[in-house]
Amino acid sequence: METLLGWITTHQQIIYIVILMGFVGIEVIGRVPSVLHTPLMSGANAIHGVVIIGAIIVMGNAEPGNYLALALGFLAVILGTLNVVGGFVVTDRMLEMFKGKGNKKSTH
Amino acid sequence: MHILTICYLFASVTFILGLKMLSHPATARKGNLLAAAGMGIAIAGTIFLYRNENGAPLGNYEWIFGGLIIGGIIGTVVAKKVKMTAMPEMVSMFNGMGGACAALISLVEYNHLQHLIAAGESIEGMSGTVLVIVLGLIIGSISFSGSMIAWGKLNGTIKDYSFAGQNIVNIILLLATLLLGAWVVIQHGEGNLLYVIFAAALLYGVMFVMPIGGADMPVVISLLNSFTGVAAAFGGFLYDNKVMLTGGILVGAAGTLLTVLMCKAMNRSLKNVLIGSFGGAHAAASTTEGVQGSYKEISLSDAAMVMGYANKVMIVPGYGLAVAQAQHACHELEKVLVDKGVEVKYAIHPVAGRMPGHMNVLLAEADVPYEKLLEMDDANEEFKTTDVVLILGANDVVNPAAKTDPASPIYGMPILEVESAKTVIVNKRSMKPGYAGIENGLFFQPKTSMLFGDAKKVLQELVSEIKSA
């Protein structure tokens, strides 16, 4: 019990972030129309690509002689980049089509 | 280091704003670009400004840039080349990449800990670190293998598979994985058990998605998407990195809500989707009560005639339209009919196609005006005054069994009530049941006639028939 309370106290900043971000995440997309479900999912998918930062840190900290760490880290950077770049580009392609529709609407 | 903090702060704000803008049609595209810009700044900041606890900058730049360039090129090319119809698979695949990335980070960090132990250093008091590594590994691996299965199911290479008692086996597997994880944490990270956990979590991901029916894949992808968010947040814990933490939790929370919203659109609970009543029960249901009977076919020229002389035509697009890339031909038909004085509208079921909003994306690509797209409730009102409903490759979303047959696996799902229209013309490639594998009684009703063939070809021929008439 004592250790748990101690852990909470030392990590309170992180715990606050987790709780508040949880609410922000829910509130922020609360009223999304179903039309936008797919692009929103795709956009959120790109945002969790932020895991790439962890991959970059792992890669940059790997000792030059540790081939396992180098290989896995390298793979992690590639996969993370795929997630970020692919995610944002696909989302943009989807939304580009909605934009075309908007223009059409204004000219009619 | 201070500048890096600002970079991360800025990126976190762009993620929140980006997500907010993404949920409004007018700002969605800008929101996506804003989040991408924030991501770019966070990545560049990390590469050049990151200092570890000893104050040393990152090394292995050639590897970092090599990985970024390879991943960047492949990601861009794949994302640009993919057909609009294959978008759902693509999202699933990229999601899996993120999950794998999180799992690999955990593996490398664990390897690093083992090196510390081998060097005689004590890692007492690092249980928190080990816990975060283990949890990141489990969630990332489940997300990766689950997404790969979802990807395979959506592009048709993997079929649904389930066996009796699979739910129980799954629960045992998950519990075993978690217990192993707890053991590693208590043991302070000694031994190679982590690789066993890695394998078990991968297996669980496969088993978890395998029995869930193809029609439920969007929900599963959305759920796995939020899993990857949580896995990224564990990375944030590990490095005390605020942008990973905020980005990860943000997506974890938003993804969970989105999953629930998607379930609501199908009028089903998340539990119902996950325990796989679609997968488990439907095999039995469809064999015991296959709706049989005779259906009638309609010729192209008759179909063209019926539609050309109608007052109001409603088009119900479904996955068949997407597969045939027939959205442009569909818009063509709409224009020809409007020229003839026919009122044409589209009835969009929220889960038509393979993802919510899929049909809107496709029809928008073909420049169909937004105001012609009716959502389900409005469409169901309009069907009452509609002369002809043209169903293009949609099946489950117009299956009356969802309303009438409590034994049907889709019972309770809101559907487009096309039967209230005067006539129904169904275009599909054959009499095979739809994606969920359920027979559709609608096809055997007297007011329904079938127009077999590839949606694009049929639409083009209809256009020329109506033009020449």
Side-chain angles (χ1 to χ4, degrees):
Chain A
M1 196 63 201
E2 205 48 41
T3 48
L4 179 69
L5 290 177
W7 188 87
I8 290 177
T9 312
T10 38
H11 294 92
Q12 53 169 314
Q13 209 190 355
I14 283 181
I15 297 170
Y16 271 104
I17 293 180
V18 169
I19 294 172
L20 294 178
M21 272 301 146
F23 281 103
V24 170
I26 289 171
E27 285 302 317
V28 117
I29 65 152
R31 250 169 280 157
V32 56
S34 67
V35 189
L36 282 177
H37 278 176
T38 305
L40 179 65
M41 186 207 283
S42 179
N45 173 51
I47 289 176
H48 70 48
V50 73
V51 70
I52 177 72
I53 287 175
I56 292 172
I57 296 175
V58 152
M59 188 74 251
N61 281 335
E63 300 99 18
N66 186 347
Y67 292 109
L68 180 71
L70 284 176
L72 292 183
F74 184 59
L75 193 56
V77 173
I78 294 180
L79 296 182
T81 317
L82 268 175
N83 188 179
V84 171
V85 176
F88 281 120
V89 174
V90 160
T91 313
D92 192 59
R93 271 193 64 196
M94 285 186 202
L95 293 169
E96 196 178 3
M97 283 152 196
F98 285 88
K99 195 178 153 245
K101 171 201 70 197
N103 290 349
K104 190 114 188 150
K105 207 172 167 184
S106 56
T107 52
H108 267 238
Chain B
M1 199 69 206
H2 296 302
I3 301 173
L4 184 58
T5 309
I6 304 293
C7 289
Y8 284 167
L9 196 59
F10 178 78
S12 300
V13 174
T14 62
F15 293 164
I16 299 172
L17 280 178
L19 216 48
K20 172 137 190 88
M21 289 162 82
L22 268 170
S23 37
H24 296 282
T27 53
R29 200 169 179 209
K30 274 189 210 144
N32 184 52
L33 294 177
L34 181 69
M39 185 72 77
I41 289 171
I43 291 174
T46 308
I47 295 173
F48 296 110
L49 301 170
Y50 183 84
R51 298 288 179 271
N52 66 14
E53 55 267 42
N54 304 323
L58 294 172
N60 303 319
Y61 274 108
E62 66 280 16
W63 292 82
I64 295 177
F65 284 109
L68 286 174
I69 291 168
I70 294 174
I73 291 175
I74 299 177
T76 313
V77 170
V78 172
K80 287 253 181 213
K81 283 247 165 98
V82 62
K83 285 196 193 119
M84 260 303 149
T85 40
M87 286 291 172
E89 282 111 283
M90 217 58 241
V91 174
S92 183
M93 157 107 111
F94 289 138
N95 180 49
M97 298 297 110
C101 180
L104 289 175
I105 291 171
S106 283
L107 284 182
V108 177
E109 283 299 324
Y110 185 75
N111 177 264
H112 179 66
L113 279 187
Q114 285 195 309
H115 277 259
L116 286 184
I117 297 168
E121 281 184 51
S122 165
I123 56 161
E124 286 291 328
M126 290 182 75
S127 314
T129 310
V130 181
L131 177 68
V132 168
I133 289 176
V134 169
L135 287 176
L137 177 74
I138 294 177
I139 298 178
S141 311
I142 293 176
S143 181
F144 167 65
S145 59
S147 297
M148 287 300 111
I149 298 293
W151 172 68
K153 280 200 176 191
L154 282 176
N155 67 21
T157 45
I158 299 174
K159 299 274 166 268
D160 296 356
Y161 172 79
S162 61
F163 54 84
Q166 181 157 9
N167 285 328
I168 296 163
V169 174
N170 279 5
I171 291 168
I172 292 172
L173 184 61
L174 182 62
L175 282 179
T177 313
L178 292 176
L179 281 177
L180 279 175
W183 181 248
V184 168
V185 175
I186 294 164
Q187 287 286 298
H188 292 297
E190 288 158 72
N192 282 321
L193 216 48
L194 204 75
Y195 299 103
V196 180
I197 297 177
F198 180 45
L202 285 177
L203 181 64
Y204 178 75
V206 173
M207 301 270 285
F208 168 66
V209 180
M210 223 42 192
I212 300 175
D216 282 337
M217 275 310 125
V219 177
V220 174
I221 296 173
S222 177
L223 186 69
L224 293 173
N225 191 26
S226 65
F227 278 12
T228 313
V230 174
F234 279 116
F237 272 115
L238 195 57
Y239 300 113
D240 194 20
N241 184 308
K242 303 293 189 295
V243 74
M244 286 174 79
L245 196 62
T246 45
I249 296 291
L250 195 64
V251 173
T256 309
L257 176 65
L258 190 57
T259 312
V260 173
L261 290 177
M262 285 184 186
C263 286
K264 270 196 190 143
M266 295 193 286
N267 198 24
R268 305 188 41 220
S269 72
L270 183 58
K271 188 172 141 240
N272 182 278
V273 170
L274 294 185
I275 294 196
S277 77
F278 240 111
H282 96 248
S286 59
T287 47
T288 50
E289 50 195 296
V291 188
Q292 287 305 326
S294 57
Y295 54 86
K296 63 172 187 285
E297 279 191 61
I298 186 168
S299 70
L300 260 169
S301 47
D302 286 350
M305 182 89 84
V306 171
M307 286 198 286
Y309 288 100
N311 285 318
K312 182 148 100 184
V313 173
M314 292 274 270
I315 299 176
V316 180
Y319 188 69
L321 172 111
V323 153
Q325 288 282 303
Q327 60 271 37
H328 294 282
C330 187
H331 185 45
E332 242 350 87
L333 175 71
E334 170 211 320
K335 283 193 285 192
V336 177
L337 285 173
V338 169
D339 288 346
K340 288 225 156 205
V342 184
E343 186 186 355
V344 183
K345 282 181 178 158
Y346 294 83
I348 311 288
H349 191 280
V351 294
R354 295 224 173 143
M355 274 205 169
H358 197 177
M359 287 302 121
N360 304 70
V361 173
L362 281 177
L363 293 173
E365 188 195 357
D367 286 332
V368 173
Y370 189 56
E371 52 269 36
K372 281 191 182 284
L373 309 182
L374 297 184
E375 294 205 3
M376 185 164 51
D377 292 339
D378 300 333
N380 281 341
E381 277 303 309
E382 294 251 351
F383 282 134
K384 291 170 193 156
T385 56
T386 301
D387 301 304
V388 183
V389 172
L390 177 64
I391 298 175
L392 295 168
N395 191 342
D396 299 327
V397 297
V398 293
N399 192 338
K403 282 195 337 195
T404 56
D405 179 8
S408 169
I410 57 165
Y411 182 69
M413 179 171 102
I415 55 160
L416 291 167
E417 290 154 13
V418 293
E419 298 151 282
S420 41
K422 287 200 193 92
T423 36
V424 178
I425 298 175
V426 180
N427 164 247
K428 63 202 294 295
R429 275 183 295 190
S430 69
M431 277 310 282
K432 275 200 301 201
Y435 202 60
I438 312 155
E439 286 285 358
N440 193 337
L442 175 75
F443 303 155
F444 305 102
Q445 286 183 359
K447 67 167 70 161
T448 309
S449 27
M450 308 299 291
L451 184 58
F452 292 116
D454 174 78
K456 190 172 183 176
K457 219 169 132 246
V458 164
L459 282 169
Q460 284 164 345
E461 284 165 359
L462 277 177
V463 168
S464 50
E465 280 283 339
I466 294 173
K467 267 188 185 156
S468 63

